[in-house]
Every structure is written in structure tokens, then in C-alpha cells.
Amino acid sequence: MSELWRLAARNVFRHRGRSSMTLFAIAFGVVALILAGGFIKDTVDELGESMIHSQSGHIQVSRSGYREHGTRDAGAYLIDTPEALRSELAAVPGVDEVLLRMVFTGLLNNGRTDWAIMGEGVEPAAEARLGTYINVSEGRQLEAADSYGMMLGAGVAQALDLAPGDWANLLTNTPDGAVNVLEFEVVGIFQTFSKDYDARAVRIPLAAAQELMGDDGVHLAVLTLQRTGDTDAVAARVAATMVPQGYEVLDWTELNPFYEQTVELYQQQFGFLVAVILLMVTLSVSNAINMNVHERAAEFGTMKACGGRQNEILRLIIAESAILGLLGAGFGIAAGNLLALGISAIGIPMPPPPNSDLGYISLIRLGWEITLLSGLIGLLAPIVAAVRPALRASRADIAESLREGV
């Protein structure tokens, strides 16, 4: 077997021109897959992180039934002992921080017109740490000293013509049915990945929201984790403790169904791209291998005349193709990773995605899964392409093969 591989390697390096063309075709396909896969991986990962670090956090805990019925009767789903819940959740391994939120609906008035809003009472310092993907387009983030400060989504600010420094009245219904109104100063205007969210979102300090609603409870405990990859494991631990106590636990993928739809779309696109590149590489390599086998017909005929068996010729051609595939995949992986690092150092300016006003800088995110898949395709494509010509050469008549050399 070692003699077979030694002979195959000599044959590969003997035909340097044709081998170089074949290696280039294989390497090009591997590079294309690494770059395309890395681009899609970065897009998907960035979308997930933007959802986590602008709205949902990694995990949210609320009273059971709040998601279905909380908009109609928010008071019935208030968490009465939020600090005790925070302490219990913070003790779960993997949890980095626990934030408390009160959610409400109401009307925001600028003195001339009203605008329906979805409000959140938040803890300013903790939300600033979570909201790393929130773009503050005007003004600043909420701070602990802003007793009656307010941040507006860009759509709300545009609809009511409000800017930092302006004052507006926020009116809402309390859980017991009364109407309450407080005046807030706009301190900042923000944008997230979701244009729809920005068109209704208003954020005020948690203490002000509790005063507005006339209740010291909260609706949500938002968990941030040390690693996004630990979400499933931590959510399972939290659910095991919280669900028996009458809470529901949702992770960020459940809170953002748009993410799952986007991932499925990109997976289908990448699968189609893999099929196209595999077909392209196989056809390119197949043409080179067919020419190689045809021109060496007399050589194979001589091998048979000297006692070589059909399976030896078949294995030799397959071994040569495997060496080409291994070298091409290796060159492609090295070049693809170097290109990915170079492109990522510069960045790819991207326009705003659908339902967003924010552009972003995309990278080529490397991952062992993409590299492994690309390398396997580069290795297997020439082997698959060589099967048919190898069978034809091994089964050819000796006399006909020798006549090709005359």
C-alpha cells in the first residue's frame, strides 16, 4: 500500500501543470465555502447578539401565563417579591446578572398629540451594561440620578417631534383601574435592530414606573449569562427551580421567533451554495482527471501488459485524486482562513437589514465546523470525480490502451 501512495505522489508531481490547475480549482472552492460560511455565521451570530443585548437578554422569567394574558391584565401577573427572586436566580451557575423590569402600555403626550407606547421600567445601570447593541442616536443613556428621565425609541421621538431636553406626559392605567400621569424629561433617543420596536418603545427608571403604576412589583426578571452558548443549560436549571413555583422561563430564541426564521433561511441558502460549489469543483476536477487518464492510456496499458491488475490501476487513480484533494483542501483552508482574517480586520460595511435603520460592519467569522465541511468537500470532490474515469481506464482493453500511445 505504501508503494501505491508513493507512485501516486510521483505521478501527481510529474504532471505539474495539470496538477496545479486541479489544485487551484479545489482550493478556490474551499476558499469560497469558508468565506461564504463565515459571512453567514457572522450575520446569524450578530443578529442573535443584537437581540440579546438590545431587548431580551439571554433568559426571561415571568409569572406563568404572562406572555398570553399579561397585556390584558398586567396587574394579575406582577411579581410581588422581586428582590427575593433576583437573589434566587443570581445563585444559578452561569448567570452573570439579573435585571428587573416592569412593563406597561400607555399614551405619551407632547402637549399637542398623543402616541400609544409600550413602556418599560428598567434599572438604568444594569440596562446600560446589557444594552451594548443599543445605539443612542441623541442624548445619553438613563442614569440612576434620572428620577424622572425617559429614553424614547427613534420612531416615538420622530412621531412626537421630541428631542433630549424636552418634557412629555406619560399616562397609563394602574392595575386597580385608576388613571395616573407623570411628567418625564427626554434624556436620550435610541435605536435597536427592530424598527417596529423603536416605533413604540419608551424606557423610564423602574422606581418611576412603579410609582406610575402604583405597585412595587415587576413583571420580568431578565438574566444575562457569561456565555451565550450556555443558554440551554442555564435555562434548564432555571426552569427546574422556577416552573414548580408558578413561573415560566423563556430563552432568547423563544422570545425572538424572527431569529429562528432567519437562521433557517440562511441555512437553506448555505446548503444550496454548498451544492453549487461542490458541483462546480467536481466538474472542474472531473475534466482535468478525464484528460489525464485519457493521455495516460498507454501507460495503463503497459501496466496491464506487465501483469498489473484492474484494481491496482483503479486504486492508483483514486489515490492520485485523493492526494490532489488533500493538497487542494489544505491550501484552500490556509488561504481561506488568512483571507477571512484579513477581511475581518478591514470589515465589510453592510446596509441596514430589513425592519431596521442601522447599518453594521460584517466580518468573516471562522468556525471549525465551516472549515471542516469545506475541507471535506475539497478532499472528496476529486475522489468522486475520479471514480468514473478510473473504472473506464481499469477496464479498458490492453491492446486498445497500447494503441493510444502509437
Short mmCIF file of all heavy atoms in Angstrom, two decimals, residues 156-214:
data_model
loop_
_atom_site.label_atom_id
_atom_site.label_comp_id
_atom_site.label_asym_id
_atom_site.label_seq_id
_atom_site.Cartn_x
_atom_site.Cartn_y
_atom_site.Cartn_z
N VAL A 156 -40.74 56.80 18.16
CA VAL A 156 -41.58 57.59 19.07
C VAL A 156 -41.13 59.05 19.03
O VAL A 156 -41.96 59.98 18.94
CB VAL A 156 -41.48 57.05 20.50
CG1 VAL A 156 -42.32 57.90 21.45
CG2 VAL A 156 -41.94 55.59 20.55
N ALA A 157 -39.82 59.27 19.09
CA ALA A 157 -39.30 60.64 19.08
C ALA A 157 -39.66 61.36 17.79
O ALA A 157 -40.02 62.55 17.81
CB ALA A 157 -37.79 60.62 19.26
N GLN A 158 -39.60 60.65 16.68
CA GLN A 158 -39.94 61.26 15.40
C GLN A 158 -41.43 61.58 15.32
O GLN A 158 -41.82 62.65 14.84
CB GLN A 158 -39.53 60.33 14.26
CG GLN A 158 -39.79 60.90 12.88
CD GLN A 158 -39.35 59.96 11.77
OE1 GLN A 158 -39.01 58.80 12.02
NE2 GLN A 158 -39.35 60.44 10.55
N ALA A 159 -42.28 60.65 15.80
CA ALA A 159 -43.73 60.85 15.71
C ALA A 159 -44.19 62.04 16.54
O ALA A 159 -45.11 62.77 16.15
CB ALA A 159 -44.44 59.58 16.16
N LEU A 160 -43.56 62.26 17.71
CA LEU A 160 -43.98 63.35 18.60
C LEU A 160 -43.06 64.56 18.54
O LEU A 160 -43.26 65.52 19.28
CB LEU A 160 -44.04 62.82 20.05
CG LEU A 160 -45.11 61.78 20.33
CD1 LEU A 160 -45.04 61.32 21.78
CD2 LEU A 160 -46.50 62.31 20.02
N ASP A 161 -42.06 64.49 17.65
CA ASP A 161 -41.12 65.60 17.48
C ASP A 161 -40.49 65.98 18.82
O ASP A 161 -40.48 67.16 19.22
CB ASP A 161 -41.83 66.81 16.86
CG ASP A 161 -40.85 67.88 16.39
OD1 ASP A 161 -39.69 67.53 16.11
OD2 ASP A 161 -41.24 69.06 16.33
N LEU A 162 -39.95 64.96 19.50
CA LEU A 162 -39.31 65.18 20.79
C LEU A 162 -37.80 65.01 20.67
O LEU A 162 -37.32 64.19 19.87
CB LEU A 162 -39.85 64.20 21.83
CG LEU A 162 -41.31 64.39 22.25
CD1 LEU A 162 -41.77 63.23 23.11
CD2 LEU A 162 -41.49 65.72 23.00
N ALA A 163 -37.07 65.74 21.45
CA ALA A 163 -35.61 65.67 21.46
C ALA A 163 -35.14 65.72 22.91
O ALA A 163 -35.90 66.09 23.81
CB ALA A 163 -35.02 66.83 20.65
N PRO A 164 -33.89 65.33 23.18
CA PRO A 164 -33.37 65.43 24.55
C PRO A 164 -33.54 66.83 25.12
O PRO A 164 -33.26 67.83 24.45
CB PRO A 164 -31.89 65.06 24.37
CG PRO A 164 -31.87 64.16 23.19
CD PRO A 164 -32.91 64.69 22.27
N GLY A 165 -34.02 66.89 26.35
CA GLY A 165 -34.30 68.16 27.00
C GLY A 165 -35.77 68.53 27.00
O GLY A 165 -36.20 69.36 27.80
N ASP A 166 -36.55 67.90 26.10
CA ASP A 166 -38.00 68.15 26.08
C ASP A 166 -38.68 67.38 27.21
O ASP A 166 -38.16 66.36 27.70
CB ASP A 166 -38.60 67.72 24.73
CG ASP A 166 -38.11 68.58 23.58
OD1 ASP A 166 -37.66 69.71 23.85
OD2 ASP A 166 -38.19 68.12 22.42
N TRP A 167 -39.86 67.86 27.59
CA TRP A 167 -40.67 67.18 28.59
C TRP A 167 -41.94 66.64 27.95
O TRP A 167 -42.47 67.22 27.01
CB TRP A 167 -41.04 68.14 29.73
CG TRP A 167 -39.87 68.47 30.60
CD1 TRP A 167 -38.89 69.38 30.33
CD2 TRP A 167 -39.56 67.91 31.87
NE1 TRP A 167 -37.96 69.42 31.33
CE2 TRP A 167 -38.35 68.54 32.31
CE3 TRP A 167 -40.16 66.95 32.68
CZ2 TRP A 167 -37.75 68.22 33.52
CZ3 TRP A 167 -39.55 66.65 33.90
CH2 TRP A 167 -38.36 67.27 34.31
N ALA A 168 -42.42 65.50 28.45
CA ALA A 168 -43.64 64.89 27.92
C ALA A 168 -44.39 64.22 29.06
O ALA A 168 -43.79 63.79 30.05
CB ALA A 168 -43.31 63.87 26.83
N ASN A 169 -45.69 64.10 28.90
CA ASN A 169 -46.53 63.47 29.90
C ASN A 169 -46.80 62.02 29.52
O ASN A 169 -47.15 61.73 28.37
CB ASN A 169 -47.87 64.21 30.04
CG ASN A 169 -47.69 65.61 30.60
OD1 ASN A 169 -46.94 65.80 31.55
ND2 ASN A 169 -48.36 66.58 30.00
N LEU A 170 -46.64 61.14 30.48
CA LEU A 170 -46.89 59.71 30.28
C LEU A 170 -48.11 59.31 31.10
O LEU A 170 -48.13 59.45 32.32
CB LEU A 170 -45.66 58.89 30.70
CG LEU A 170 -45.72 57.39 30.47
CD1 LEU A 170 -46.05 57.04 29.03
CD2 LEU A 170 -44.37 56.76 30.85
N LEU A 171 -49.13 58.82 30.40
CA LEU A 171 -50.40 58.46 31.03
C LEU A 171 -50.63 56.97 30.87
O LEU A 171 -50.43 56.41 29.78
CB LEU A 171 -51.54 59.24 30.39
CG LEU A 171 -52.96 59.01 30.91
CD1 LEU A 171 -53.78 60.32 30.81
CD2 LEU A 171 -53.69 57.91 30.13
N THR A 172 -51.06 56.31 31.97
CA THR A 172 -51.34 54.89 31.92
C THR A 172 -52.39 54.52 32.96
O THR A 172 -52.71 55.33 33.85
CB THR A 172 -50.05 54.07 32.18
OG1 THR A 172 -50.31 52.68 31.95
CG2 THR A 172 -49.57 54.27 33.61
N ASN A 173 -52.93 53.31 32.83
CA ASN A 173 -53.88 52.78 33.80
C ASN A 173 -53.14 51.94 34.83
O ASN A 173 -52.30 51.11 34.48
CB ASN A 173 -54.94 51.92 33.11
CG ASN A 173 -55.88 52.74 32.25
OD1 ASN A 173 -56.26 53.85 32.64
ND2 ASN A 173 -56.24 52.22 31.10
N THR A 174 -53.45 52.14 36.09
CA THR A 174 -52.86 51.34 37.16
C THR A 174 -53.57 49.99 37.22
O THR A 174 -54.66 49.83 36.67
CB THR A 174 -52.98 52.06 38.51
OG1 THR A 174 -54.38 52.20 38.82
CG2 THR A 174 -52.33 53.42 38.45
N PRO A 175 -52.99 49.00 37.92
CA PRO A 175 -53.63 47.69 38.00
C PRO A 175 -55.03 47.71 38.60
O PRO A 175 -55.86 46.85 38.27
CB PRO A 175 -52.67 46.89 38.88
CG PRO A 175 -51.34 47.52 38.65
CD PRO A 175 -51.63 48.98 38.48
N ASP A 176 -55.33 48.68 39.47
CA ASP A 176 -56.66 48.72 40.07
C ASP A 176 -57.65 49.54 39.25
O ASP A 176 -58.76 49.83 39.69
CB ASP A 176 -56.58 49.26 41.50
CG ASP A 176 -55.96 50.66 41.55
OD1 ASP A 176 -55.74 51.26 40.47
OD2 ASP A 176 -55.70 51.14 42.67
N GLY A 177 -57.24 49.96 38.04
CA GLY A 177 -58.17 50.64 37.14
C GLY A 177 -58.11 52.14 37.16
O GLY A 177 -58.80 52.80 36.37
N ALA A 178 -57.32 52.74 38.01
CA ALA A 178 -57.20 54.20 38.05
C ALA A 178 -56.30 54.69 36.92
O ALA A 178 -55.56 53.92 36.31
CB ALA A 178 -56.65 54.64 39.41
N VAL A 179 -56.40 55.98 36.65
CA VAL A 179 -55.56 56.61 35.63
C VAL A 179 -54.51 57.45 36.33
O VAL A 179 -54.82 58.23 37.23
CB VAL A 179 -56.40 57.48 34.67
CG1 VAL A 179 -55.49 58.20 33.68
CG2 VAL A 179 -57.42 56.62 33.94
N ASN A 180 -53.26 57.29 35.90
CA ASN A 180 -52.17 58.04 36.51
C ASN A 180 -51.33 58.69 35.42
O ASN A 180 -51.20 58.16 34.31
CB ASN A 180 -51.30 57.13 37.38
CG ASN A 180 -50.46 57.91 38.38
OD1 ASN A 180 -50.58 59.14 38.48
ND2 ASN A 180 -49.63 57.21 39.12
N VAL A 181 -50.75 59.83 35.71
CA VAL A 181 -49.93 60.53 34.73
C VAL A 181 -48.74 61.16 35.46
O VAL A 181 -48.87 61.66 36.58
CB VAL A 181 -50.74 61.61 33.99
CG1 VAL A 181 -51.32 62.66 34.94
CG2 VAL A 181 -49.88 62.27 32.91
N LEU A 182 -47.57 61.07 34.83
CA LEU A 182 -46.36 61.70 35.34
C LEU A 182 -45.65 62.41 34.19
O LEU A 182 -45.77 62.01 33.02
CB LEU A 182 -45.42 60.67 35.97
CG LEU A 182 -45.83 60.04 37.30
CD1 LEU A 182 -44.83 58.96 37.70
CD2 LEU A 182 -45.93 61.10 38.39
N GLU A 183 -44.89 63.42 34.53
CA GLU A 183 -44.14 64.16 33.52
C GLU A 183 -42.68 63.72 33.55
O GLU A 183 -42.07 63.60 34.62
CB GLU A 183 -44.24 65.66 33.79
CG GLU A 183 -43.69 66.51 32.65
CD GLU A 183 -43.88 68.00 32.90
OE1 GLU A 183 -43.96 68.40 34.08
OE2 GLU A 183 -43.93 68.77 31.92
N PHE A 184 -42.12 63.49 32.35
CA PHE A 184 -40.75 62.99 32.24
C PHE A 184 -39.95 63.88 31.28
O PHE A 184 -40.49 64.43 30.31
CB PHE A 184 -40.73 61.55 31.71
CG PHE A 184 -41.28 60.53 32.67
CD1 PHE A 184 -42.64 60.26 32.72
CD2 PHE A 184 -40.43 59.87 33.53
CE1 PHE A 184 -43.15 59.32 33.60
CE2 PHE A 184 -40.92 58.93 34.43
CZ PHE A 184 -42.29 58.65 34.46
N GLU A 185 -38.66 63.95 31.57
CA GLU A 185 -37.75 64.66 30.67
C GLU A 185 -37.06 63.65 29.75
O GLU A 185 -36.53 62.63 30.21
CB GLU A 185 -36.68 65.42 31.47
CG GLU A 185 -35.71 66.18 30.58
CD GLU A 185 -34.58 66.82 31.36
OE1 GLU A 185 -34.48 66.57 32.58
OE2 GLU A 185 -33.79 67.57 30.76
N VAL A 186 -37.06 63.95 28.46
CA VAL A 186 -36.36 63.09 27.49
C VAL A 186 -34.86 63.29 27.65
O VAL A 186 -34.36 64.42 27.52
CB VAL A 186 -36.79 63.42 26.05
CG1 VAL A 186 -36.02 62.55 25.06
CG2 VAL A 186 -38.30 63.24 25.88
N VAL A 187 -34.15 62.21 27.97
CA VAL A 187 -32.69 62.30 28.13
C VAL A 187 -31.94 61.67 26.96
O VAL A 187 -30.75 61.94 26.76
CB VAL A 187 -32.23 61.65 29.46
CG1 VAL A 187 -32.86 62.34 30.64
CG2 VAL A 187 -32.52 60.15 29.47
N GLY A 188 -32.62 60.79 26.20
CA GLY A 188 -31.94 60.13 25.09
C GLY A 188 -32.91 59.50 24.13
O GLY A 188 -34.06 59.22 24.48
N ILE A 189 -32.44 59.30 22.91
CA ILE A 189 -33.21 58.63 21.86
C ILE A 189 -32.37 57.47 21.36
O ILE A 189 -31.16 57.63 21.09
CB ILE A 189 -33.53 59.60 20.71
CG1 ILE A 189 -34.43 60.74 21.23
CG2 ILE A 189 -34.21 58.89 19.55
CD1 ILE A 189 -34.62 61.87 20.26
N PHE A 190 -32.97 56.29 21.27
CA PHE A 190 -32.20 55.09 20.92
C PHE A 190 -32.78 54.37 19.72
O PHE A 190 -33.94 54.54 19.35
CB PHE A 190 -32.12 54.14 22.12
CG PHE A 190 -33.45 53.55 22.53
CD1 PHE A 190 -33.94 52.39 21.95
CD2 PHE A 190 -34.22 54.16 23.52
CE1 PHE A 190 -35.16 51.85 22.34
CE2 PHE A 190 -35.43 53.63 23.92
CZ PHE A 190 -35.90 52.47 23.32
N GLN A 191 -31.93 53.55 19.12
CA GLN A 191 -32.31 52.67 18.02
C GLN A 191 -31.81 51.26 18.31
O GLN A 191 -30.70 51.08 18.81
CB GLN A 191 -31.69 53.15 16.70
CG GLN A 191 -32.25 54.46 16.17
CD GLN A 191 -31.51 54.90 14.93
OE1 GLN A 191 -30.35 55.27 14.99
NE2 GLN A 191 -32.19 54.86 13.80
N THR A 192 -32.64 50.28 17.98
CA THR A 192 -32.26 48.88 18.09
C THR A 192 -32.33 48.25 16.70
O THR A 192 -32.54 48.94 15.70
CB THR A 192 -33.19 48.12 19.05
OG1 THR A 192 -34.51 48.06 18.47
CG2 THR A 192 -33.27 48.82 20.39
N PHE A 193 -32.16 46.92 16.64
CA PHE A 193 -32.24 46.23 15.35
C PHE A 193 -33.65 46.24 14.79
O PHE A 193 -33.86 45.98 13.60
CB PHE A 193 -31.76 44.78 15.51
CG PHE A 193 -32.77 43.89 16.19
CD1 PHE A 193 -33.66 43.14 15.45
CD2 PHE A 193 -32.85 43.84 17.57
CE1 PHE A 193 -34.60 42.33 16.07
CE2 PHE A 193 -33.78 43.06 18.20
CZ PHE A 193 -34.66 42.29 17.46
N SER A 194 -34.67 46.51 15.62
CA SER A 194 -36.07 46.40 15.20
C SER A 194 -36.70 47.78 15.08
O SER A 194 -36.88 48.49 16.07
CB SER A 194 -36.87 45.55 16.20
OG SER A 194 -38.24 45.57 15.88
N LYS A 195 -37.05 48.15 13.88
CA LYS A 195 -37.71 49.43 13.64
C LYS A 195 -39.09 49.47 14.28
O LYS A 195 -39.53 50.51 14.78
CB LYS A 195 -37.82 49.65 12.13
CG LYS A 195 -38.21 51.04 11.72
CD LYS A 195 -38.14 51.19 10.21
CE LYS A 195 -38.49 52.59 9.77
NZ LYS A 195 -38.39 52.74 8.29
N ASP A 196 -39.79 48.32 14.29
CA ASP A 196 -41.12 48.26 14.90
C ASP A 196 -41.04 48.51 16.41
O ASP A 196 -41.90 49.21 16.98
CB ASP A 196 -41.77 46.89 14.64
CG ASP A 196 -42.14 46.71 13.17
OD1 ASP A 196 -42.26 47.72 12.46
OD2 ASP A 196 -42.30 45.54 12.74
N TYR A 197 -40.04 47.93 17.06
CA TYR A 197 -39.86 48.15 18.50
C TYR A 197 -39.57 49.62 18.78
O TYR A 197 -40.13 50.21 19.72
CB TYR A 197 -38.72 47.27 19.01
CG TYR A 197 -38.37 47.46 20.46
CD1 TYR A 197 -39.15 46.92 21.47
CD2 TYR A 197 -37.23 48.18 20.83
CE1 TYR A 197 -38.82 47.10 22.81
CE2 TYR A 197 -36.89 48.36 22.16
CZ TYR A 197 -37.69 47.82 23.15
OH TYR A 197 -37.37 48.00 24.46
N ASP A 198 -38.70 50.23 17.98
CA ASP A 198 -38.34 51.62 18.20
C ASP A 198 -39.53 52.57 18.00
O ASP A 198 -39.53 53.69 18.52
CB ASP A 198 -37.22 52.03 17.25
CG ASP A 198 -35.94 51.24 17.49
OD1 ASP A 198 -35.82 50.64 18.57
OD2 ASP A 198 -35.07 51.22 16.61
N ALA A 199 -40.53 52.13 17.24
CA ALA A 199 -41.69 52.99 16.97
C ALA A 199 -42.65 53.08 18.16
O ALA A 199 -43.55 53.92 18.16
CB ALA A 199 -42.43 52.49 15.74
N ARG A 200 -42.46 52.20 19.18
CA ARG A 200 -43.38 52.19 20.33
C ARG A 200 -42.66 52.20 21.68
O ARG A 200 -43.31 52.35 22.72
CB ARG A 200 -44.27 50.93 20.27
CG ARG A 200 -45.16 50.86 19.05
CD ARG A 200 -46.24 51.92 19.08
NE ARG A 200 -47.03 51.93 17.85
CZ ARG A 200 -47.95 52.86 17.57
NH1 ARG A 200 -48.16 53.84 18.42
NH2 ARG A 200 -48.61 52.82 16.44
N ALA A 201 -41.35 52.05 21.69
CA ALA A 201 -40.63 51.80 22.94
C ALA A 201 -40.35 53.08 23.71
O ALA A 201 -39.90 54.09 23.16
CB ALA A 201 -39.33 51.08 22.65
N VAL A 202 -40.61 53.02 25.01
CA VAL A 202 -40.28 54.08 25.95
C VAL A 202 -39.68 53.42 27.19
O VAL A 202 -40.23 52.44 27.70
CB VAL A 202 -41.51 54.91 26.35
CG1 VAL A 202 -41.19 55.84 27.51
CG2 VAL A 202 -42.03 55.71 25.16
N ARG A 203 -38.56 53.95 27.68
CA ARG A 203 -37.93 53.40 28.88
C ARG A 203 -37.81 54.48 29.93
O ARG A 203 -37.35 55.59 29.65
CB ARG A 203 -36.55 52.82 28.54
CG ARG A 203 -36.62 51.52 27.76
CD ARG A 203 -35.25 50.92 27.57
NE ARG A 203 -35.35 49.53 27.14
CZ ARG A 203 -34.31 48.72 26.96
NH1 ARG A 203 -33.08 49.17 27.20
NH2 ARG A 203 -34.49 47.47 26.57
N ILE A 204 -38.23 54.13 31.16
CA ILE A 204 -38.12 55.03 32.31
C ILE A 204 -37.50 54.25 33.46
O ILE A 204 -37.47 53.01 33.44
CB ILE A 204 -39.49 55.61 32.71
CG1 ILE A 204 -40.45 54.48 33.12
CG2 ILE A 204 -40.10 56.42 31.56
CD1 ILE A 204 -41.81 54.97 33.61
N PRO A 205 -37.01 54.92 34.49
CA PRO A 205 -36.45 54.18 35.65
C PRO A 205 -37.51 53.29 36.29
O PRO A 205 -38.71 53.62 36.30
CB PRO A 205 -36.01 55.30 36.59
CG PRO A 205 -35.78 56.47 35.71
CD PRO A 205 -36.80 56.37 34.62
N LEU A 206 -37.08 52.16 36.82
CA LEU A 206 -38.00 51.21 37.43
C LEU A 206 -38.79 51.86 38.57
O LEU A 206 -40.01 51.64 38.69
CB LEU A 206 -37.23 49.99 37.95
CG LEU A 206 -38.04 48.91 38.65
CD1 LEU A 206 -39.12 48.35 37.73
CD2 LEU A 206 -37.13 47.79 39.15
N ALA A 207 -38.14 52.68 39.40
CA ALA A 207 -38.85 53.31 40.52
C ALA A 207 -39.95 54.23 40.02
O ALA A 207 -41.05 54.29 40.61
CB ALA A 207 -37.86 54.10 41.38
N ALA A 208 -39.70 54.94 38.90
CA ALA A 208 -40.73 55.82 38.34
C ALA A 208 -41.88 55.00 37.76
O ALA A 208 -43.06 55.39 37.88
CB ALA A 208 -40.11 56.71 37.26
N ALA A 209 -41.57 53.86 37.16
CA ALA A 209 -42.63 53.01 36.61
C ALA A 209 -43.49 52.46 37.74
O ALA A 209 -44.73 52.38 37.61
CB ALA A 209 -42.01 51.87 35.80
N GLN A 210 -42.87 52.06 38.82
CA GLN A 210 -43.64 51.55 39.96
C GLN A 210 -44.51 52.65 40.56
O GLN A 210 -45.64 52.40 40.98
CB GLN A 210 -42.68 50.97 41.00
CG GLN A 210 -42.00 49.68 40.54
CD GLN A 210 -40.89 49.23 41.47
OE1 GLN A 210 -40.28 50.04 42.17
NE2 GLN A 210 -40.60 47.92 41.46
N GLU A 211 -44.01 53.88 40.60
CA GLU A 211 -44.82 54.99 41.07
C GLU A 211 -45.98 55.26 40.11
O GLU A 211 -47.11 55.50 40.54
CB GLU A 211 -43.95 56.24 41.19
CG GLU A 211 -44.71 57.47 41.67
CD GLU A 211 -43.84 58.71 41.73
OE1 GLU A 211 -42.60 58.59 41.62
OE2 GLU A 211 -44.41 59.82 41.87
N LEU A 212 -45.70 55.19 38.82
CA LEU A 212 -46.73 55.42 37.82
C LEU A 212 -47.83 54.37 37.91
O LEU A 212 -49.02 54.68 37.77
CB LEU A 212 -46.10 55.43 36.43
CG LEU A 212 -46.99 55.78 35.24
CD1 LEU A 212 -47.43 57.24 35.32
CD2 LEU A 212 -46.25 55.52 33.93
N MET A 213 -47.43 53.11 38.13
CA MET A 213 -48.39 52.00 38.20
C MET A 213 -48.97 51.82 39.59
O MET A 213 -49.90 51.05 39.78
CB MET A 213 -47.71 50.70 37.75
CG MET A 213 -47.21 50.73 36.31
SD MET A 213 -48.55 50.83 35.11
CE MET A 213 -49.23 49.20 35.27
N GLY A 214 -48.39 52.47 40.59
CA GLY A 214 -48.89 52.32 41.95
C GLY A 214 -48.66 50.96 42.55
O GLY A 214 -49.46 50.47 43.35
#
